[in-house]
């Protein structure tokens, strides 16, 4: 499905954003491993977290949807998972595949994990290597790609694992496998990535010489997961940028997750001069939340370097859109990981910027963008590459054009943000 985006005179309104995708996945997985019932409010309606629910059900976990985005999970405990009679279909979701692989390897329940075309083209080597060291047998396509058939003969071996890539999925995968071991698995993190796993599982953490050491073993109790999930900061980021770059904007986003390992894009936008206010700060379970409001702003250029990339990894495409409207040259570096997402997001952004008529250079690890506060994107058909975050970035860019733009395969926004196009209409009507 193509979606047309007409230029907006005004962007105004208050939006109920979708629930956080990363926390939704984890809440369902951890509630399944807890011994007892958890009631999770504001569970995401997006496709990816529902892939996780389907997989947990196939592993024998009873999950009821009670209405109003509340789910009740009858946790079976870490030794209660059942051998699935069919493949575990992770759909488009890298988080489902990588985290669940850790649980499957740890539990010893044999299973085969599959994914859609995009997920089957994303390397799984990063998780196959440590899980194999821990004692899992993993049969992958061409060694590195899904489908992954995972089984285990002996007990799970502990692992001392300095993270070779700043990835929360990799960190979580190893820690989840470690939960099934008698001895402690240690993950050593140098650059901070999102910390929902260690927060929600309340795992032991030590800080040493600027490094974070997180441990997991069978002796860690898996807590009940009854809380309200915050709204997704990554969804908020599209409107924070739209509100900042548009000349007539006032947007309010209530109860957004404000975990400091997720809000790098907010810090970046504030440094660029975006008028964002944070109010009603509080918490939902183990996670901080706040209301955000944004209004039209004069943006300055910015440099994003490798150290802050994990903190804004999913927001880089929309930050690139913000950079187009800044008064000068912005640079993104150390972001090679973007080439391994639902699509190669640096190539996809370069294509979008070319079509928009932007002045930019693509590098192996990022982009340099020559911004102009008066920039007017050429009305174009932007390819989403069937990637939700590329589609939403293109839509925000299209709002700033003088004529109608088109976004291809626009339905892919449902992966993380099913009401995106409705919300866009709410703001523009
Ligand atoms: C996620 C981690 C990030 C992020 C993804 C969600 C998670 O991936 O891009 O959208 O929930 O752990 P990486 O761990 O590959 O950086």
């Amino acid at each position: 499905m193509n979606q047309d985006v007409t230029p907006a005179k005004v962007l105004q309104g208050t939006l109920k954003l979708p629930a956080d995708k990363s926390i939704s996945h984890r809440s369902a997985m951890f509630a399944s491993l807890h011994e007892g019932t958890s009631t999770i409010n504001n569970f995401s309606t997006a496709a990816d977290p529902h892939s996780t629910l389907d997989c947990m059900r196939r592993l024998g976990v009873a999950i009821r949807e009670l209405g109003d985005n509340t789910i009740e999970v009858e946790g079976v405990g870490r030794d209660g998972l059942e051998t699935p009679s069919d493949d575990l279909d992770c759909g488009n979701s890298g988080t489902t595949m990588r985290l669940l692989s850790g649980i499957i390897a740890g539990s010893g329940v044999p299973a085969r994990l599959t994914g859609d075309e995009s997920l089957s083209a994303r390397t799984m080597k990063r998780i196959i290597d440590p899980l194999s060291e821990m004692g899992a047998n993993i049969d992958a396509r061409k060694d590195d790609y899904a489908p992954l058939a995972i089984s285990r003969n002996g007990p799970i071996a502990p692992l001392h694992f300095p993270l070779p890539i700043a990835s929360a999925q990799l960190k979580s995968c190893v820690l989840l496998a470690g939960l099934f071991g008698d001895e402690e698995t240690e993950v050593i993190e140098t650059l901070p990535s999102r910390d929902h796993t260690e927060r929600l599982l309340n795992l032991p953490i030590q800080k040493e010489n600027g490094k974070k050491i997180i441990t997991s073993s069978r002796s860690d109790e898996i807590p009940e997961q009854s809380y309200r999930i915050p709204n997704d900061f990554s969804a908020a980021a599209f409107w924070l940028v739209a509100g900042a770059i548009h000349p007539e904007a006032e947007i309010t986003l209530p109860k957004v997750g404000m975990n400091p390992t997720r809000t790098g894009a907010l810090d970046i936008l504030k440094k660029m001069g975006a008028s964002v206010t944070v109010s009603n700060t509080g918490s939902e379970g183990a996670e901080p939340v706040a209301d955000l409001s944004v209004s039209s702003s004069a943006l300055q250029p910015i440099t994003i370097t490798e150290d802050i990339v994990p903190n804004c990894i999913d927001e880089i495409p929309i930050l690139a859109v913000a950079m187009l409207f800044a008064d000068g040259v912005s640079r993104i570096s150390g972001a090679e990981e973007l080439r391994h997402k639902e699509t190669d997001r640096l190539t996809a952004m370069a294509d979008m910027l070319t079509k928009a008529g932007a002045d930019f250079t693509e590098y192996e690890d990022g982009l340099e963008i020559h911004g102009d506060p008066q920039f007017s994107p050429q009305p174009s058909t932007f390819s989403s590459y069937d990637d939700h975050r590329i589609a939403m970035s293109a839509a925000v860019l299209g709002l700033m054009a003088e004529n109608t733009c088109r976004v291809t395969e626009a339905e892919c926004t449902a992966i993380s943000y099913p009401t995106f196009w409705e919300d866009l209409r709410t703001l523009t009507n």
Side-chain angles (χ1 to χ4, degrees):
M1 171 193 101
N2 292 331
Q3 182 76 49
D4 286 345
V5 180
T6 47
K9 292 206 174 59
V10 180
L11 289 180
Q12 203 168 40
T14 299
L15 300 176
K16 158 65 182 94
L17 296 173
D20 189 283
K21 179 161 84 70
S22 288
I23 299 175
S24 293
H25 286 296
R26 287 164 172 81
S27 68
M29 290 182 193
F30 305 166
S32 300
L33 297 178
H34 168 71
E35 254 174 68
T37 304
S38 296
T39 306
I40 304 164
N41 297 120
N42 198 35
F43 190 84
S44 173
T45 53
D48 268 7
H50 279 261
S51 293
T52 292
L53 290 187
D54 292 345
C55 290
M56 298 322 297
R57 286 182 172 126
R58 282 191 188 281
L59 289 161
V61 182
I63 301 176
R64 275 180 294 280
E65 293 180 50
L66 304 180
D68 207 16
N69 303 333
T70 297
I71 63 166
E72 191 179 75
V73 181
E74 259 179 57
V76 293
R78 79 189 91 188
D79 297 315
L81 296 176
E82 289 169 12
T83 303
S85 54
D86 215 335
D87 290 346
L88 301 176
D89 182 0
C90 303
N92 189 246
S93 174
T95 307
T96 307
M97 183 165 281
R98 294 195 174 124
L99 271 60
L100 198 53
S101 292
I103 294 175
I104 296 298
S107 69
V109 164
R112 185 167 176 270
L113 283 75
T114 60
D116 69 4
E117 202 184 321
S118 149
L119 186 54
S120 306
R122 294 174 69 181
T123 178
M124 292 295 144
K125 183 169 167 51
R126 59 186 62 184
I127 60 160
I128 292 173
D129 288 349
L131 292 178
S132 303
E133 264 192 74
M134 294 175 91
N137 306 316
I138 305 185
D139 190 11
R141 184 174 59 85
K142 285 206 285 165
D143 295 342
D144 295 344
Y145 296 95
L148 304 179
I150 307 181
S151 61
R152 188 161 54 68
N153 302 327
I156 200 91
L159 191 67
H160 173 86
F161 189 60
L163 279 168
I165 310 165
S167 159
Q169 292 178 355
L170 175 57
K171 166 173 72 174
S172 304
C173 169
V174 172
L175 288 168
L176 289 169
L179 276 180
F180 295 81
D182 290 334
E183 289 170 65
E184 268 181 3
T185 281
E186 270 187 352
V187 175
I188 298 116
E189 185 177 65
T190 313
L191 289 181
S193 64
R194 65 193 68 193
D195 67 359
H196 306 301
T197 295
E198 47 271 44
R199 262 178 203 254
L200 298 174
L201 288 174
N202 200 17
L203 293 176
I205 293 171
Q206 288 169 57
K207 301 247 165 99
E208 255 174 43
N209 306 327
K211 293 185 177 165
K212 180 172 162 190
I213 303 165
I214 314 142
T215 58
S216 67
S217 76
R218 191 166 269 286
S219 62
D220 296 309
E221 202 182 305
I222 297 173
E224 182 182 326
Q225 303 288 317
S226 295
Y227 41 74
R228 183 184 190 282
I229 296 177
N231 296 331
D232 201 333
F233 178 83
S234 296
F238 295 101
W239 306 123
L240 294 180
V241 170
I245 63 178
H246 194 282
E248 288 292 334
E250 187 70 61
I251 304 171
T252 303
L253 309 163
K255 290 189 186 297
V256 179
M258 293 294 285
N259 182 315
T261 61
R262 288 288 296 284
T263 51
L266 178 59
D267 304 334
I268 290 164
L269 285 170
K270 279 188 169 168
K271 278 195 193 133
M272 292 177 82
S275 311
V276 183
T277 46
V278 178
S279 58
N280 292 328
T281 49
S283 59
E284 303 277 12
E287 295 282 346
V289 291
D291 296 349
L292 299 178
S293 323
V294 59
S295 55
S296 316
S297 316
L299 295 183
Q300 295 307 309
I302 191 100
T303 299
I304 297 181
T305 47
E306 188 184 8
D307 50 321
I308 50 171
V309 165
N311 205 310
C312 59
I313 183 79
D314 293 337
E315 289 69 64
I316 289 179
I318 191 63
L319 287 171
V321 172
M323 289 170 181
L324 282 173
F325 297 89
D327 193 7
V329 183
S330 294
R331 175 82 162 96
I332 300 162
S333 61
E336 206 270 339
E337 265 296 289
L338 287 182
R339 299 200 182 276
H340 307 290
K341 296 295 176 186
E342 285 82 332
T343 190
D344 175 340
R345 287 185 175 157
L346 289 175
T347 299
M349 286 312 294
D351 181 31
M352 192 191 306
L353 298 182
T354 303
K355 286 186 178 143
D359 181 1
F360 78 101
T361 308
E362 180 186 355
Y363 295 93
E364 194 44 39
D365 70 338
L367 297 165
E368 181 175 273
I369 297 175
H370 293 244
D372 175 357
Q374 306 308 320
F375 180 66
S376 175
Q378 277 165 26
S380 312
T381 295
F382 295 119
S383 171
S384 71
Y385 288 76
D386 210 7
D387 178 323
H388 52 130
R389 299 200 200 281
I390 299 298
M392 293 187 275
S393 301
V396 171
L397 182 57
L399 287 173
M400 303 297 288
E402 271 176 20
N403 269 309
T404 303
C405 291
R406 179 163 280 186
V407 181
T408 67
E409 295 160 301
E411 68 283 357
C412 65
T413 53
I415 287 295
S416 63
Y417 194 161
T419 54
F420 177 80
W421 298 107
E422 276 161 65
D423 284 356
L424 188 133
R425 277 190 287 279
T426 303
L427 292 180
T428 50
N429 281 335

